[in-house]
Amino acid sequence: MTDYIPVVIEVLSNPLNLLLLVASLIAGIIVGALPGLTVTMALALLLPFTFSLPADTSLIAMGGLYIGGMFGGCISAILINTPGTPSAIATTFDGYPMARSGKPHHAIVTAVLASGIGGIIGALALLFLTPLLSSLSLAFGPPEYFWVAMLGLSMIATLSSGSMLKGLIGGCLGLLLGTIGIAPIGGESRFTFGLAPLVAGLELTVVLIAFFCIPEVLRIVENRITGERIAYRKEKGVVAQMWNRLIRRPFLLLRSSVIGVIVGIIPGAGGNVASIISYDAAVKFSKDKKAFGKGSYEGVAASESANNAEVGGSLVPLLSLGIPGAPPAAIMMGALMIHGITPGPGLFTSQAGLVYTFLWAFLLANVLLIVLGLYLSGPIGRIINIRMDVLIPVIIFLSTIGAFAIRNNFTDVVMMVIIGLAAYLLSRLGFHPAPIVLGLILGPIAEVGLTQSILIGQAKDHVFAFFFTRPVSVVLMVLCALSIAVPLADKWLRSRRGSGQRQGKEEAE
Amino acid sequence: MRKMKLAAIMLLAVLLTGLAGCSAGSGPAAEGKEGDTKGYPKHPITYSIPFDPGGQSDLEARRQQPHLERILGTSIVITYKIGGGGAVGWTELAGKKPDGYFMAGINVPHIILQPLLQRDAGYKTEQLEPVAIFQSTPVGLAVRKDSSIQSLEDLIRMAKDKPGALTAAGVGTYTGHHMTHLLFEEKLEAAIQYIPFTGAAAAMQSFLGGNTDLLWGNSNDLVSYKDEFRLIAIGSAERFTALPDTPTFIEQGVDLIAGIDRGVAVPQGTPEKVVQELEKAFLKIAADPEVIRQMTAEGFEPKAMGAAESKAYIKQLKAEYEPLVAELRP
Amino acid sequence: MRLLNKDVLSAIVLLAVSAVVYLETAGLNEMSAVFPRSIGLLLGVLSVIYLVFSLLKPSASGLWEGTNKGRLAAAAAGIAAYAGLIWLSGFLIASILMMFSFISLLGGRESRRPLRLLQAGAIAILVSGFFFVLFKYVFIVPLPVGILFGA
C-alpha cells in the first residue's frame, strides 16, 4: 500500500524533474495569459517530446502546464478585462474593476493565493477521494446535466445589476447564440443562413473577447482618457494584507474549491462553469452583496479557487474511469497511451508508483504556483502602468491574434469585430455582457441534457419522471429553486423597506 | 535623450532589414508554381487536423510526423482547423492550392456523410483526393456486466418484444455510429432508440452510469474497457486481433461490417507525381513494424491502402450510403 | 417622437429575432428544433413585456447621449479597418500599421512630434514582431499572409 513512497521521493527529488515542473508552470502561465492560446494546444505541442521522455517526467511537465495555464487566464482577465482562458470568465467581474481602481497587484495576489489554495484542495481530493468521487461522476446523466446548466443560468437573477427583465432577455440571446451551427443531438445545421463558416458554431473564446474586450476599448477611447495611466499605487505588504483577508474567510475558499472539484468531476462541464457557479455562491453568501462587480477581492478569490480546484476534479474520471473530463485531460490520456499505460479502472493498483508520483507532483506544482505567482505578481501588476494610448492598440492586437489563433480561422476575427460592436451597442441599451455570455456557455450543456433526456425518457415511457425523480436531479432542482428565490425575496424585502421609507418622507413633506 | 533616439533608430533599421530579409526569403517559396513537381517537396508541408488536439487523428499525425520528415526530407507542420465534426477542416482543404504542400487528415465515413446530409457542409467528397488510408477502428456493441443481455440473440429478442424501449449510446447524429445503428436496425428489423452524444468520452460516461442500455464504441475504447463491459459483437470482417474473444456480427448471422477509417487527403487536382510521392511515404510508415505494433496494442487495425484503392473504397461506400441517406432526408 | 425611443426600437428588433428563430426552426427535425424554439418563444414573451414597459415608461435619455460620437466611430472604424488590412496584407504588416496609427492618434497633438512618432514606430514593430514570432514559430499558428502576398 505504501511501497510507492520511495519511488515518489526519488522521482520528485530529481532536479531535472523539478526544473521541468517550474519551466512548464511558467510556460503554462504565459499560454494561459494570452487569449487564444489554450492549454490544450500547448499540451499537444508538448506531446511529441513525451515520446522520448519517461512517462513520469512527461506527466509532471503536462500537469505543470495544465495548472499554470489555468492560473494564467486570470492575468489578462484582471489587466485587460479579457479572460485568457474561458475559465477565468468570472475573474473579470471583479478583477478588472480592482485593476482599474489602481489595485492590480492586490487582484493578482488574491488570484495567486486563491488559485494555489484551490489547486491544493483539488489535488488533495484527487489524492484521497478518487474512488468516492468517481462514483459521483457516474451519477451525472442527461437530466443532471440539464439541471446543472439551469443552476448556472439561475445566476442571471444575481448578475442582472440593472433590470432583471434585460438580464433575462440577454440570457435568451446568449442561449440562442449558442445554438448556431450543427445541433449537438439533432445533427442539423441551424441559423447558418447558408454561410459555411457558421456551421461550426461560434467559438466561446471569440465571443468572450468580443463581449468583454472590444466594448471596453471603445469606452476608453471615447472617454478621452487615452493619455492617462491607471493610477498604480505601489504598496508594501500587499501579500500579507490579502493573505490575512482571505484567511479570515475560510469558508469562501473552501466552498469555492468544493464547487470546483464537483464541477470538475462532471465530464464536459469545465472551469468556466465552476468559476461561474462559485462566483454566484460567493455573492449569495456574502453580507456585502453590493461590493461585487465593483472590485471585490472575494469575487476574484471565488472564481480563481474554483477553476484551479476544477483541474484536480477533472483528473478524477480520467485516472479512475479512463474518461477524460476536459480536453487537456484527453491529451494527458494520449500521452499515457503512448507509454503503453491505459488509464481506467485498475490504474491505481497496476501503476501505483506512477500515479502517486504524478499526484504528489501535482500537489507540489500548486505550492510552487503560489511561490512563483507571488514573485511575479508585482512585475505583472506594473504592466498596467503603461500609458493608455499604448495599451489600447496592444489590447486590440492581442484580442485579434487570440481570436484568430483559437481555431486558425480568419472568419473568427471578422466575427469578433461584428459581435464586439454589437456588444457595445447592447451595453449602451442596458444589456450587460455577463448574462449573455452565461447563456452561451451553458446553452449547449442544457440543450444536450434536455434532448437526450427526452429521447431516453420517451424510450422508457416516462419523460416526466426521468427529469424530476432522480436523486441528484432533485438536489440540483432544490439548489436551483433556492438560487432564484433567495435574491428575489431579498430584493422584495429591500424594496418594501425602501418604499416604506419613501412614504415616510412624503408624509413629512 | 540623444542616445535613446539613436538607439531607437538603429533598432528600427535592424528590424526593418530583418523584415525585408524575411519577406524576401518567403517570396519564391510562396510563388511555388503548380505543375512544377520536380524536387518536391521544396519547403515545409502543412498537415492539418480537423479535430481537437490530442484526439486520435492528432495522435496519429504526431506518430507519423518524425517518419514523414525523415522520408520526405522536409519539416511537417501540424496545424488544427477544428469544428463541425471535421467539416470546417475539410472545407479548408477543398479550397487550398493543389500543390501538395497542404494535406489534411480524413475520416471515413464522415467525408461521405457530411456532404450528403448537411445543406451547407462546405465541400464535396470528390474535392478531397485521398492519398492513403492507414488505420481502421471497427465499431462494436457493448452492454454493462450487470445487464440481462448475454448475447446478440438476447438483444434481438428484447428489441423485438418492446420496439424502441432499448437505448443505445453513440457519437453524434448522421455519423459513423448513427449509420451503423440504422443499418443494424434495418438488418434486425427491430427498433432500438439511438441516443447521440457529443463525444466518445461523454457516451462512455453516460453508459457506465446506467443511462443507456447499449453502447456503440470504437475498438480502441472497447479494448481499454474490455473487463468492465460485455462485448456483444464487433463490426470487423474477421475476429479482431486485440479482442479475440468477441464474435463478429457476421459470425452471429447479422451481415454488418462497420468501422471508422483514418487517412490523409490533398485537394482535388494535385499533380499525380506529388500524390505518388506522399502515398509512398505514408505506405512506408504503415509498413513500419513498430508503428504496426503500437497501433495494434492500442486497439486499432493498421491498414495500408494507397491512393487508388482508397478512392475506390470511398466511392463504393458512398454508393452504399446513398439509399440509406435518401430515407433519412426525403 | 417619444413613442419611438431606443427601448421601443430594441424591443421590436428582439421580437423580430424571435420571429426569425421560429421560422428558421420550422424546417428542422424535432431534436434540432426543440431547444432553440423554446428559447425563441421565451424571448418573444419577454420582448412583449419589454415593449409594454417601454411604451408605458419611456426612458428620458437618448442612446448616444453624453458620448463623443466622433471618437467612438473612429475607434470602431479603426478596429474594422485593422481586420480588413489583415485580410489584405497579412498579419504582421497590418498589426504594425494599426499599432503605429493608434498610438500616434490617441496620444493627442504632443504625440505627433518626431521623437514620439519614432517611439510609436519602435513600439509597434517590437510588440508586433515579438508576438508574431511567438505565435508563428513557437506555437505554430498559421497567421494569415494576406491576399496581396498570395495565400
Side-chain angles (χ1 to χ4, degrees), chain A residues 40-41 44 47-48 51 137-138 140-142 145 182 184-189 192 194 196 199-200 267 321-324 330-331 334 337 342 345 407-409 448 452 455-456 459-460 470, chain B residues 53-54 58-59 62-63 65 79-84 88 91 118-120 122 164-167 173-174 193-198 201 204-206 208-209 211-213 224-225 228 298 329:
Chain A
T40 317
M41 204 173 94
L47 207 55
F51 284 98
S137 158
L138 288 183
F140 275 81
Y145 276 95
I182 293 173
I185 301 303
E188 293 196 85
S189 61
T192 53
V199 172
L321 304 165
I323 296 170
I331 299 200
M337 307 273 280
T342 309
R407 289 197 296 203
N408 299 335
N409 202 330
V448 169
Q452 282 174 344
L455 285 174
I456 297 176
K460 305 290 177 211
R470 296 165 49 119
Chain B
D58 185 29
L59 288 181
R62 303 249 172 226
R63 185 176 4 236
Q65 191 179 17
T79 64
Y80 305 95
K81 194 84 174 182
I82 307 151
V88 176
T91 304
Q118 283 157 22
R119 282 173 292 180
D120 35 18
L166 282 177
T167 53
T173 302
Y174 303 151
Q193 178 65 49
Y194 177 72
I195 312 288
F197 282 82
T198 46
M204 186 71 79
Q205 182 231 355
S206 215
L208 283 176
N211 294 292
T212 65
D213 304 309
S224 21
Y225 281 90
E228 304 297 300
E298 288 162 19
R329 288 216 90 154

Side-chain angles (χ1 to χ4, degrees), chain A residues 68-341:
Chain A
M70 199 49 110
F71 162 73
C74 83
I75 294 174
S76 44
I78 289 169
L79 295 183
I80 62 173
N81 202 32
T82 299
T85 62
S87 301
I89 167 95
T91 312
T92 58
F93 298 165
D94 279 297
Y96 183 66
M98 265 180 106
R100 283 301 299 271
S101 63
K103 289 184 169 174
H105 192 188
H106 293 72
I108 290 170
V109 167
T110 308
V112 170
L113 292 172
S115 294
I117 293 169
I120 289 169
I121 293 175
L124 289 175
L126 184 62
L127 199 51
F128 296 111
L129 299 176
T130 295
L132 195 78
L133 291 174
S134 72
S135 55
L136 186 59
S137 158
L138 288 183
F140 275 81
E144 284 77 20
Y145 276 95
F146 176 74
W147 288 114
V148 164
M150 287 300 125
L151 181 61
L153 284 172
S154 71
M155 189 189 168
I156 291 177
T158 322
L159 267 184
S160 317
S161 44
S163 120
M164 172 83 90
L165 180 66
K166 286 188 175 175
L168 289 173
I169 290 177
C172 284
L173 284 177
L175 288 170
L176 285 175
L177 284 178
T179 63
I180 292 177
I182 293 173
I185 301 303
E188 293 196 85
S189 61
R190 305 176 292 194
F191 310 120
T192 53
F193 307 103
L195 297 168
L198 284 181
V199 172
L202 299 179
E203 166 62 43
L204 180 60
T205 306
V206 174
V207 181
L208 287 182
I209 292 173
F211 267 97
F212 286 94
C213 198
I214 304 289
E216 190 57 27
V217 164
L218 292 177
R219 263 190 291 272
I220 292 174
V221 174
E222 187 256 318
N223 283 332
R224 277 181 190 279
I225 48 174
T226 45
E228 306 167 8
R229 300 156 195 250
I230 287 174
Y232 174 68
R233 293 191 298 272
K234 205 176 169 194
E235 267 181 60
K236 282 211 170 105
V238 175
V239 175
Q241 187 193 341
M242 295 324 293
W243 172 254
N244 282 334
R245 281 203 198 168
L246 284 177
I247 213 73
R248 250 181 275 145
R249 299 249 192 301
F251 286 110
L252 173 72
L253 290 181
L254 196 65
R255 182 182 57 236
S256 308
S257 305
V258 169
I259 291 173
V261 171
I262 292 178
V263 174
I265 60 168
I266 312 172
N272 47 18
V273 178
S275 102
I276 286 169
I277 293 183
S278 158
Y279 182 88
D280 185 41
V283 178
K284 292 211 168 95
F285 280 94
S286 168
K287 284 190 191 74
D288 187 15
K289 293 184 176 50
K290 282 256 151 65
F292 284 87
K294 299 186 185 78
S296 158
Y297 74 94
E298 289 180 45
V300 174
S303 165
E304 280 303 310
S305 51
N307 69 27
N308 273 62
E310 190 265 352
V311 176
S314 78
L315 293 172
V316 167
L318 174 71
L319 294 181
S320 60
L321 304 165
I323 296 170
I331 299 200
M332 295 172 80
M333 182 166 169
L336 283 171
M337 307 273 280
I338 284 167
H339 288 279
I341 299 160

Side-chain angles (χ1 to χ4, degrees), chain A residues 338-406:
Chain A
I338 284 167
H339 288 279
I341 299 160
T342 309
L347 183 68
F348 271 82
T349 40
S350 67
Q351 296 283 344
L354 181 71
V355 172
Y356 284 99
T357 303
F358 171 62
L359 294 185
W360 282 101
F362 192 80
L363 199 62
L364 183 67
N366 278 294
V367 177
L368 284 174
L369 176 73
I370 298 185
V371 177
L372 213 72
L374 289 179
Y375 187 73
L376 293 173
S377 64
I380 293 172
R382 238 165 279 143
I383 291 175
I384 209 153
N385 212 17
I386 298 171
R387 272 201 339 263
M388 272 294 180
D389 51 342
V390 176
L391 195 60
I392 288 293
V394 173
I395 294 176
I396 298 174
F397 169 75
L398 286 177
S399 330
T400 310
I401 202 171
F404 179 83
I406 191 77

Side-chain angles (χ1 to χ4, degrees), chain C residues 6 9 16-17 22 34 42 56 60 69-70 75 94 107 110 112 117 120 124 137 141:
Chain C
K6 60 174 183 186
L9 274 178
V17 169
Y22 197 81
V34 59
L42 183 62
L56 290 178
K69 277 188 239 172
E110 202 189 316
R112 251 90 87 196
L117 282 178
Y137 297 105
V141 174

Side-chain angles (χ1 to χ4, degrees), chain C residues 105-123:
Chain C
L105 290 172
L106 283 176
R109 184 163 297 159
E110 202 189 316
S111 70
R112 251 90 87 196
R113 294 216 307 260
L115 182 64
R116 289 286 292 271
L117 282 178
L118 200 69
Q119 214 182 21
I123 293 172

